[in-house]
């Protein structure tokens, strides 16, 4: 049995129907408890070769382990692009961006490459990188707000969520554009009815912006 087969067998043995039911509701069709999945990855340690083989095995839980045993500088921009397009779950999509791409030397290049992609899932990744860069890079915030105002209401859900994060970030970080960000959020009403657990901040941009500014200003 190869190492990839051993890892996949170990993950398969951890399959739990209750965990699968929860995960599938969040766009992650696997049944491995994430604490146990992280323990599998920790035992493996960093291993770029094994990570690549796990990713290519096209197994949902295996892809998550692959990301956890990788490091940002181990991949080229083209490899990240291929991985994004073959991600099997929402969590793999998000972990790829947050754990690797955003911390890699290729984040700026991939922001440009993905931002206007025809695939809304890939475009969502471009917007996620935009949110990450909007406070540090020289981005045209007015042009971003123009695009959000024009496109966010009718965007597919993952892309809509990413654009909304950029809208809120601009509103929180840029006092000179806060009023416009609030107005766009009120006008579009995107995520206005999103259910929120007690103690959590709503993702509805006007509420999110107002609450985060209030906390910062004491």
């Amino acid at each position: 049995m190869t190492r990839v087969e051993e890892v996949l067998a170990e993950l398969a043995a951890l399959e739990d129907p209750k965990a699968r039911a929860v995960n599938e509701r969040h766009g992650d069709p696997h049944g491995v408890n994430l604490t146990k999945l992280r323990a599998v990855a920790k035992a493996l340690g960093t291993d770029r070769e094994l990570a690549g083989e796990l990713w290519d095995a096209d197994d949902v839980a295996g892809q998550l382990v692959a990301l956890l045993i990788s490091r940002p500088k181990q991949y080229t921009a083209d490899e990240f692009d291929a991985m994004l397009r073959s991600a099997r779950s929402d969590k793999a999509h998000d972990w790829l961006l947050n754990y690797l791409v955003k911390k890699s030397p290729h984040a700026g290049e991939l922001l440009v490459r993905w931002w206007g992609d025809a695939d809304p899932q890939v475009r969502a990744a471009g917007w996620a990188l935009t949110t990450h860069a909007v406070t540090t890079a020289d981005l045209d915030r007015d042009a971003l707000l123009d695009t959000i105002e024009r496109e966010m209401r009718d965007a597919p859900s993952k892309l809509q969520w990413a654009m909304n994060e950029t809208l809120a970030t601009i509103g929180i970080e840029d006092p000179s554009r806060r009023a416009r960000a609030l107005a766009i959020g009120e006008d579009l009403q995107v995520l206005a009815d999103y259910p929120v657990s007690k103690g959590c901040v709503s993702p509805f941009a006007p509420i999110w912006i107002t609450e985060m500014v209030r906390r910062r200003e004491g």
Side-chain angles (χ1 to χ4, degrees):
M1 183 180 290
T2 66
R3 290 190 69 206
V4 172
E5 291 171 336
E6 290 175 356
V7 174
L8 294 178
E10 183 176 2
L11 293 171
L14 294 172
E15 178 79 18
D16 178 352
K18 292 182 179 179
R20 176 172 285 275
V22 172
N23 291 336
E24 286 187 343
R25 287 201 298 270
H26 295 90
D28 298 299
H30 71 89
V32 183
N33 174 279
L34 289 181
T35 299
K36 294 179 180 179
L37 186 145
R38 289 180 182 277
V40 171
K42 185 176 181 180
L44 292 171
T46 302
D47 190 326
R48 171 65 180 86
E49 182 179 357
L50 178 60
E53 293 173 353
L54 280 170
W55 189 273
D56 292 340
D58 207 32
D59 178 83
V60 177
Q63 286 194 342
L64 296 178
V65 171
L67 296 170
L68 292 173
I69 64 174
S70 297
R71 295 296 176 265
K73 293 182 179 180
Q74 294 176 325
Y75 293 86
T76 67
D78 287 342
E79 286 171 333
F80 279 140
D81 182 76
M83 292 170 72
L84 181 72
R85 296 174 192 277
S86 59
R88 289 287 315 282
S89 66
D90 282 349
K91 192 167 294 295
H93 181 282
D94 295 341
W95 282 12
L96 173 64
L97 292 175
N98 293 322
Y99 295 170
L100 300 179
V101 176
K102 289 179 181 179
K103 299 175 181 179
S104 80
H106 310 299
E109 174 189 343
L110 291 171
L111 187 162
V112 175
R113 185 189 297 195
W114 291 341
W115 201 81
D117 197 272
D119 184 335
Q121 292 288 99
V122 177
R123 203 153 68 248
W127 276 92
L129 294 179
T130 298
T131 299
H132 180 66
V134 76
T135 59
T136 58
D138 186 20
L139 302 182
D140 187 338
R141 296 177 182 177
D142 292 317
L144 291 173
L145 291 174
D146 289 344
T147 302
I148 291 167
E149 188 170 31
R150 184 173 61 250
E151 300 179 7
M152 184 170 73
R153 193 201 311 267
D154 298 321
S157 59
K158 195 166 189 67
L159 175 57
Q160 185 183 71
W161 188 275
M163 295 174 80
N164 185 69
E165 287 186 324
T166 300
L167 174 64
T169 301
I170 292 173
I172 293 164
E173 302 292 342
D174 190 340
S176 68
R177 293 174 175 82
R178 185 169 297 148
R180 187 182 177 201
L182 289 167
I184 291 172
E186 290 288 358
D187 180 56
L188 299 182
Q189 289 291 297
V190 169
L191 300 176
D193 299 323
Y194 192 85
V196 179
S197 301
K198 186 177 181 180
C200 296
V201 179
S202 170
F204 180 46
I207 295 177
W208 187 359
I209 293 167
T210 301
E211 175 60 18
M212 297 310 295
V213 170
R214 183 193 68 79
R215 292 183 185 184
R216 287 188 178 188
E217 297 179 351

